Amino acid sequence: MGLVISPLELRGAIFVLLLLLPNLSFAEEPAKVSVCLSCHREMGGGLAQPVSLWEKSIHAQLGNNCEGCHGGDPNDEALAMSPEKGFVGSPKPEEIPDFCGKCHVGVMENYKKSPHYSAFRRGIGPSCVTCHKSHDVERASFDLIDEKLCSQCHSYENGRKMKQAFISAELELQKMKSTFHKLDRRGMPVRKFEEKLFAERNALHQMTHTLDVMEIEKKTELVLTNLEVMKQETAALWKKVKKRWAIGSLVGLFLILFILLLIKLHRSLEEE
């Protein structure tokens, strides 16, 4: 004779299961800890310092770990520093531009056109880590064009001109971005404008490492001109937004009047 479960017993079992379900835990595979990080922490002193610096960096925030720059296998202590696993260690000072340029290709190309690189090749100029640091890498921003930093090697005059040019264009780029966001929230098609804006911003930021003041000023002027064109092109979208708002307001007003009329009619019928 087979096992027979009554409907009442089935409901009871389901009820008990629902009570227990929130307390059930499912084993998850523990996250793998990088042997690079754990080993350097354990060694302490100067060998542990890169870890604490890296943890505050933009690299850490974006998920670029030790192996992203230095190679090796972060999951196997025996292979962590294996050349077969791509381990390259720390670059020599003269290798730093190409070392960073593995990821930052466009930046490296512009840097190699600049007076900084010319001086660097003579052994007297800055490399990437001079301004951006090594393990505690900072997020790229125009704040890095700083009088205290630049004046360690030369006058800040050109740096000031470049920063003013960049910031004037960056402020307009941010305003335009905000405008597109507002239009998008109102249901307007802004994808093509956002793509244009991204291209303009990218082209502007690529100029930072050239250090060519005249070219940078020309580029920022061109960006501002292109933004003005975009502003005129989006004016039609704002007209559509205003038209929709006006139509919506009229419809809303009509509905309110219609409801008031119905209420008045209902009251007059009740009085009769």
Side-chain angles (χ1 to χ4, degrees):
M1 184 175 180
L3 179 64
V4 178
I5 301 175
S6 69
L8 182 60
E9 290 172 328
L10 180 61
R11 286 198 296 271
I14 292 173
F15 178 72
V16 172
L17 179 62
L18 291 174
L19 287 177
L20 293 175
L21 191 59
N23 298 316
L24 293 177
S25 61
F26 299 92
E28 294 182 359
E29 184 180 347
K32 292 182 179 178
V33 179
S34 167
V35 296
C36 311
L37 296 174
S38 60
C39 186
H40 274 266
R41 281 197 186 99
E42 290 170 6
M43 287 189 289
L47 291 172
Q49 188 181 34
V51 178
S52 59
L53 292 174
W54 169 82
E55 287 173 334
K56 305 170 188 174
S57 72
I58 185 62
H59 275 184
Q61 292 174 34
L62 296 177
N64 183 37
N65 302 326
C66 312
E67 69 277 9
C69 295
H70 301 287
D73 188 341
N75 302 313
D76 189 327
E77 188 172 350
L79 298 173
M81 300 176 67
S82 169
E84 288 74 19
K85 290 292 183 177
F87 181 73
V88 293
S90 299
K92 296 176 182 177
E94 64 271 17
E95 296 172 339
I96 289 175
D98 290 310
F99 186 84
C100 299
K102 291 183 296 183
C103 294
H104 303 283
V105 179
V107 171
M108 179 185 66
E109 290 175 352
N110 282 324
Y111 166 73
K112 287 189 173 182
K113 300 173 186 174
S114 73
H116 274 181
Y117 184 65
S118 298
F120 171 78
R121 292 187 67 184
R122 298 196 304 273
I124 58 173
S127 67
C128 313
V129 299
T130 308
C131 301
H132 297 279
K133 304 179 182 178
S134 54
H135 290 99
D136 50 338
V137 181
E138 296 183 14
R139 180 182 293 276
S141 74
F142 296 129
D143 291 336
L144 291 177
I145 307 174
D146 176 72
E147 182 170 9
K148 184 178 179 181
L149 179 63
C150 298
S151 59
Q152 291 177 8
C153 301
H154 51 70
S155 164
Y156 184 58
E157 182 180 355
N158 284 343
R160 182 179 288 106
K161 289 179 181 178
M162 288 188 296
K163 188 169 185 176
Q164 288 173 347
F166 281 131
I167 289 178
S168 66
E170 184 67 20
L171 289 173
E172 293 304 315
L173 285 164
Q174 291 299 327
K175 287 179 185 177
M176 190 62 70
K177 182 179 179 179
S178 176
T179 296
F180 293 155
H181 179 66
K182 291 175 183 176
L183 285 169
D184 183 55
R185 290 180 60 187
R186 288 161 176 78
M188 293 291 105
V190 294
R191 179 68 179 272
K192 67 175 184 179
F193 293 111
E194 288 176 332
E195 290 174 352
K196 286 183 180 179
L197 189 69
F198 177 82
E200 291 292 339
R201 191 171 187 271
N202 194 41
L204 178 68
H205 286 199
Q206 284 182 357
M207 295 291 294
T208 52
H209 292 82
T210 64
L211 304 180
D212 189 325
V213 178
M214 291 184 62
E215 286 300 315
I216 288 170
E217 288 178 338
K218 286 180 184 178
K219 184 61 182 179
T220 51
E221 284 298 320
L222 179 60
V223 168
L224 291 172
T225 300
N226 292 339
L227 289 178
E228 188 61 35
V229 172
M230 276 192 268
K231 190 182 296 183
Q232 293 172 7
E233 290 174 343
T234 54
L237 296 180
W238 281 116
K239 287 181 180 179
K240 286 184 179 180
V241 170
K242 291 178 181 178
K243 185 177 180 180
R244 287 183 180 181
W245 184 87
I247 293 172
S249 299
L250 288 173
V251 171
L253 180 61
F254 172 78
L255 289 174
I256 292 171
L257 293 174
F258 182 70
I259 291 170
L260 291 174
L261 181 62
L262 288 177
I263 293 172
K264 186 175 181 180
L265 180 61
H266 178 69
R267 287 177 178 174
S268 64
L269 290 174
E270 284 183 340
E271 291 172 358
E272 293 179 359

